[in-house]
């Protein structure tokens, strides 16, 4: 498999998933602003959406959209328990979390990176995202991860959004102790550290 990624973008989520799953893969770096690959080729020829992540399968098929990609990765490494079993009630709760992260966090945080968005609009999106973080803080009380004791690919996605919020967008989450402890817990996982190191977000030990 081949993962098209941009360092620190939402493609960090499937990158973490691939490492946690122990699946072989290659990385292809994308310059999202220029829409170019490192070798100068046109990224839009790969994904006309112009977005990462993209997962290229051995068959040549391309899969886009992060929540779908991480489910596919988890299902290919079922023994790792990175997602609940298909058709189980836990699977539907897991899907609920993936949808919450992509619609309520990802889509509220994304506009905050825009250099042309007005300050009042940014305040609107930041307030909306902060309300979702407060909800998550309550949901994580007494839990190690979103689904309880076991890490799933949904946690890799949420961690990526938390990295955006705190490290790049200046959110102060110090008043949310469950969420800040959760972020530290996920950050300490060896495969998460490995993904971040490979993307140049952490210095190699």
């Amino acid at each position: 498999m081949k993962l098209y990624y941009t360092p620190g973008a939402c493609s960090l989520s499937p990158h973490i998933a691939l490492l946690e799953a122990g699946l072989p893969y290659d990385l292809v770096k994308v310059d999202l602003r220029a829409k170019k690959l490192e070798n100068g080729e046109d990224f839009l020829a790969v994904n006309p959406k112009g977005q990462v992540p993209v997962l290229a399968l051995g068959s040549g098929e391309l899969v886009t959209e992060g929540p779908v990609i991480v489910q596919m990765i988890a299902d290919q490494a079922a023994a790792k328990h990175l997602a609940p079993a298909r058709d189980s009630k836990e699977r539907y709760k897991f899907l609920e979390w993936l949808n919450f992260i992509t619609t309520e966090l990802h889509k509220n945080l994304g506009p905050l990176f825009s250099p042309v968005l007005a300050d009042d609009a940014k305040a609107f999106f930041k307030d909306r995202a902060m309300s979702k973080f407060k909800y998550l803080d309550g949901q994580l009380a007494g839990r190690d991860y979103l689904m309880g004791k076991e890490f799933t690919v949904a946690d890799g996605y949420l961690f990526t959004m938390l990295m955006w919020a705190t490290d790049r967008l200046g959110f102060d989450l110090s008043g949310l102790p469950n969420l800040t402890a959760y972020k530290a817990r996920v950050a300490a996982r060896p495969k998460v550290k490995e993904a971040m190191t490979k993307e140049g977000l952490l210095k190699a030990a």
Side-chain angles (χ1 to χ4, degrees):
M1 289 186 289
K2 187 183 297 182
L3 177 67
Y4 291 81
Y5 82 106
T6 298
C10 55
S11 47
L12 177 62
S13 167
H15 193 179
I16 291 170
L18 284 165
L19 288 167
E20 291 278 358
L23 297 174
Y25 69 97
D26 294 316
L27 283 174
V28 181
K29 191 174 181 180
V30 178
D31 182 335
L32 278 181
R33 288 187 179 180
K35 307 299 182 189
K36 297 288 186 183
L37 306 182
E38 277 192 299
N39 63 7
E41 291 180 6
D42 182 10
F43 176 56
L44 293 175
V46 176
N47 182 14
K49 295 177 183 177
Q51 300 169 328
V52 293
V54 178
L55 189 67
L57 307 182
S59 63
E61 181 184 358
L62 299 178
V63 184
T64 62
E65 303 302 329
V68 175
I69 291 172
V70 295
Q71 285 181 74
M72 176 178 285
I73 292 167
D75 289 338
Q76 288 191 21
K80 298 284 188 176
H81 305 291
L82 294 170
R86 293 176 181 177
D87 299 324
S88 66
K89 64 179 183 180
E90 290 82 11
R91 182 68 172 227
Y92 295 110
K93 184 64 180 178
F94 163 79
L95 292 175
E96 182 182 328
W97 277 124
L98 282 178
N99 279 274
F100 177 84
I101 297 164
T102 199
T103 59
E104 302 299 333
L105 288 179
H106 196 163
K107 292 307 178 187
N108 280 313
L109 292 174
L112 297 175
F113 290 103
S114 171
V116 298
L117 195 66
D119 288 345
D120 57 346
K122 286 188 176 182
F124 169 80
F125 285 112
K126 190 167 186 177
D127 286 347
R128 285 192 60 164
M130 196 66 194
S131 72
K132 307 307 177 185
F133 285 135
K134 289 176 180 176
Y135 168 76
L136 280 162
D137 187 69
Q139 292 296 304
L140 285 167
R143 296 185 190 182
D144 289 339
Y145 300 107
L146 287 170
M147 294 298 295
K149 293 293 182 183
E150 287 202 2
F151 176 93
T152 69
V153 292
D155 294 296
Y157 192 10
L158 176 54
F159 174 77
T160 300
M161 295 300 102
L162 289 170
M163 287 287 296
W164 281 12
T166 59
D167 296 22
R168 299 175 64 185
L169 294 169
F171 277 69
D172 180 5
L173 301 182
S174 60
L176 304 176
N178 298 321
L179 195 58
T180 53
Y182 167 87
K183 179 175 179 280
R185 190 177 303 119
V186 177
R189 293 180 67 86
K191 298 303 183 183
V192 173
K193 288 182 177 180
E194 184 178 347
M196 294 180 69
T197 300
K198 286 185 173 182
E199 295 197 12
L201 305 173
L202 279 180
K203 290 184 178 179

